[in-house]
């Protein structure tokens, strides 16, 4: 494949898929958008018409099987992921799958097992915070050891609103909190051993019966603790912050100190409306990283193991949401179940 652009098909062209399609077509190097698929074929047709030579393939599995598609970016709803990712693995096509990898731990394990049977890593999971320059800087500083051991992490994850009435309490865990599960695992380089999800009195502005905000507490295998507030109807905008507390200092990202304006007796900046704006650079780097790695036959960023582990934590989190008590996270053996990655001989695995 060296020298020729990666021919990418995008499955699911709602808000995020359309954003990624435009990114592949116009902003990422060494890639070409060749096909899109969506159950809403009118929406897919409108998007395809914006670019030269992009085909609409109504059935996502046909897009995956198409000989002129080298790699697949999946941005369909989570419930469709398992079948689509398994098809990509069966066709040995590099895949960037938006989070969550699948709907529960058991289905993520089926993906992990299929990838191992294929004999090489093929799946990257769309945890974009890993590619955000601020988050990457936080991780680099903590890993340098300059501040000593990392002890605690505090995350804030707020969306202005979720217009979709089907976005229920469990989805706050599975679709929103899952990002912070990945941050915790990645920053600590450890797994989550237990999760507690607390239910404060909900805002009156969430849909009937939806527990929003939620507060989650993760215990890490090395003894660290992570707290996360997720509030998806905050009415303000997209606010994602993270503060890591180490032995000799703390590191904070996401304060959003961009352009400040003073006018009419007030001063301030902007809160981004949604994740496409806040994480634009991270998405660009993530998709470019995926394209470059796919052309080399490698996977960068979050792997299928990371997708499985995050989903397993959220599966336990959805149980904890019902009771408010801690639920242990039981993972399968990583080195028996992952493709093409030898077991480490010394030290702990790098997540
Ligand atoms: C959405 O699916 C995302 O992935 C966003 O990053 C997250 O903030 C939002 O809560 C989810 O619904």
């Amino acid at each position: 494949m060296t020298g020729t652009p990666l021919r990418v098909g995008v499955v699911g062209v709602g808000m995020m898929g359309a954003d990624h399609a435009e990114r592949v077509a116009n902003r990422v190097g060494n890639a070409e958008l060749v096909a899109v698929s969506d159950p809403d074929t009118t929406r897919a047709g409108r998007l395809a018409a914006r670019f030269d030579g992009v085909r609409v393939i109504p059935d996502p599995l046909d897009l995956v099987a198409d000989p002129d598609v080298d790699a697949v970016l999946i941005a369909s709803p989570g419930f469709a992921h398992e079948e689509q990712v398994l098809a990509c693995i069966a066709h040995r096509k590099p895949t960037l799958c938006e989070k969550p990898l699948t709907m529960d731990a058991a289905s993520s394990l089926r993906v992990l097992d299929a990838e191992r049977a294929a004999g090489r890593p093929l799946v990257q999971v769309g945890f974009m915070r890993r590619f955000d320059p601020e988050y990457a800087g936080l991780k680099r500083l903590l890993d340098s050891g300059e501040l000593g051991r990392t002890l605690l992490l505090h995350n804030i994850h707020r969306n202005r609103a979720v217009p979709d009435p089907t976005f229920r309490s469990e989805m706050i865990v599975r679709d929103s909190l899952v990002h912070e599960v990945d941050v915790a695992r990645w920053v600590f380089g450890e797994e989550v051993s237990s999760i507690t999800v607390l239910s404060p009195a909900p805002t009156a502005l969430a849909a009937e019966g939806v527990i929003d905000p939620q507060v989650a507490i993760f215990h890490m295998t090395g003894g660290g603790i992570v707290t996360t507030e997720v509030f998806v109807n905050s009415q303000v905008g997209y606010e994602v912050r993270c503060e890591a507390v180490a032995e000799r200092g703390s590191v904070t990202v996401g304060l959003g100190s961009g352009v400040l304006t003073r006018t009419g007796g007030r001063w301030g900046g902007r809160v981004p409306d949604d994740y496409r704006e806040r994480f634009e650079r991270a998405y660009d780097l993530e998709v470019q990283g995926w394209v470059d790695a796919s052309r080399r036959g490698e996977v960068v960023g979050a792997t299928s193991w990371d997708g499985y582990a995050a989903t397993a934590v959220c599966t336990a989190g959805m149980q904890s949401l019902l009771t408010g008590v801690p639920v242990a996270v039981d993972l399968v053996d990583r080195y028996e179940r992952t493709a093409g990655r030898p077991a480490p001989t010394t030290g702990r695995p790098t997540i």
Side-chain angles (χ1 to χ4, degrees):
M1 211 177 284
T2 319
T4 55
L6 188 78
R7 296 170 302 174
V8 175
V10 175
V11 170
V13 291
M15 189 157 100
M16 203 60 237
D19 197 55
H20 280 320
E22 193 274 330
R23 172 168 291 108
V24 171
N26 294 333
R27 295 219 292 281
V28 160
N30 295 320
E32 194 187 335
L33 179 68
V34 293
V36 293
S37 182
D38 196 279
D40 182 343
T41 46
T42 311
R43 172 161 83 176
R46 262 201 312 269
L47 180 73
R50 289 176 35 206
F51 312 105
D52 281 343
V54 175
R55 286 183 297 146
V56 175
I57 304 181
D59 185 333
L61 301 184
D62 289 342
L63 180 146
V64 170
D66 195 285
D68 292 327
V69 170
D70 299 322
V72 183
L73 194 162
I74 297 177
S76 53
F79 63 80
H81 288 181
E82 180 185 359
E83 183 184 41
Q84 295 168 354
V85 179
L86 288 175
C88 291
I89 294 172
H91 285 90
R92 304 287 191 276
K93 298 214 172 157
T95 308
L96 173 55
C97 180
E98 269 299 341
K99 42 54 55 180
L101 176 58
T102 65
M103 299 296 271
D104 58 23
S107 49
S108 286
L109 207 47
R110 289 194 283 276
V111 169
L112 208 60
D113 285 344
E115 195 192 43
R116 185 194 44 173
R120 70 179 177 100
L122 287 159
V123 181
Q124 178 180 342
V125 181
F127 288 126
M128 75 295 195
R129 285 160 175 62
R130 294 182 182 222
F131 293 86
D132 178 68
E134 284 190 48
Y135 273 86
L138 171 144
K139 166 98 171 129
R140 249 193 325 275
L141 179 56
L142 294 174
D143 285 353
S144 74
E146 199 182 318
L147 302 183
R149 255 183 335 115
T150 306
L151 307 171
L152 303 169
L153 213 58
H154 304 292
N155 302 303
I156 300 280
H157 181 151
R158 298 188 190 136
N159 297 99
R160 184 172 54 73
V162 276
D164 179 356
T166 64
F167 204 92
R168 310 300 299 172
S169 308
E170 325 73 71
M171 289 180 68
I172 296 179
V173 177
R174 194 172 51 215
D175 285 70
S176 305
L177 179 66
V178 68
H179 281 293
E180 313 315 328
V181 173
D182 186 63
V183 165
R185 297 181 57 258
W186 175 64
V187 167
F188 274 97
E190 294 167 3
E191 298 296 351
V192 174
S193 58
S194 78
I195 175 169
T196 312
V197 181
L198 302 174
S199 306
T203 170
L205 301 173
E208 181 64 29
V210 170
I211 301 162
D212 183 33
Q214 299 177 11
V215 175
I217 302 164
F218 315 146
H219 281 81
M220 306 305 295
T221 45
I225 289 187
V226 179
T227 61
T228 301
E229 170 207 311
V230 187
F231 187 11
V232 301
N233 288 283
S234 75
Q235 310 300 306
V236 178
Y238 193 65
E239 295 178 273
V240 169
R241 297 195 273 280
C242 172
E243 179 168 2
V245 182
E247 289 169 309
R248 284 191 292 278
S250 62
V251 202
T252 308
V253 297
L255 293 176
S257 39
V259 176
L260 290 183
T261 315
R262 289 164 194 271
T263 181
R266 298 164 71 110
W267 69 271
R270 273 194 76 250
V271 180
D273 199 47
D274 66 42
Y275 34 90
R276 290 170 303 177
E277 180 180 345
R278 162 66 180 90
F279 284 112
E280 182 182 14
R281 182 78 186 127
Y283 288 125
D284 285 351
L285 293 169
E286 174 190 67
V287 176
Q288 185 67 68
W290 173 64
V291 165
D292 293 343
S294 299
R295 294 173 83 243
R296 295 192 306 268
E298 293 170 11
V299 170
V300 292
T303 61
S304 53
W305 174 265
D306 298 312
Y308 156 71
T311 302
V313 173
C314 291
T315 303
M318 288 186 280
Q319 278 174 43
S320 176
L321 180 66
L322 302 174
T323 58
V325 302
V327 174
V329 179
D330 288 317
L331 298 178
V332 296
D333 185 282
R334 178 174 181 178
Y335 292 96
E336 274 176 14
R337 303 297 271 264
T338 45
R341 290 179 202 99
T345 46
T346 54
R348 63 179 191 200
T350 306
I351 287 169

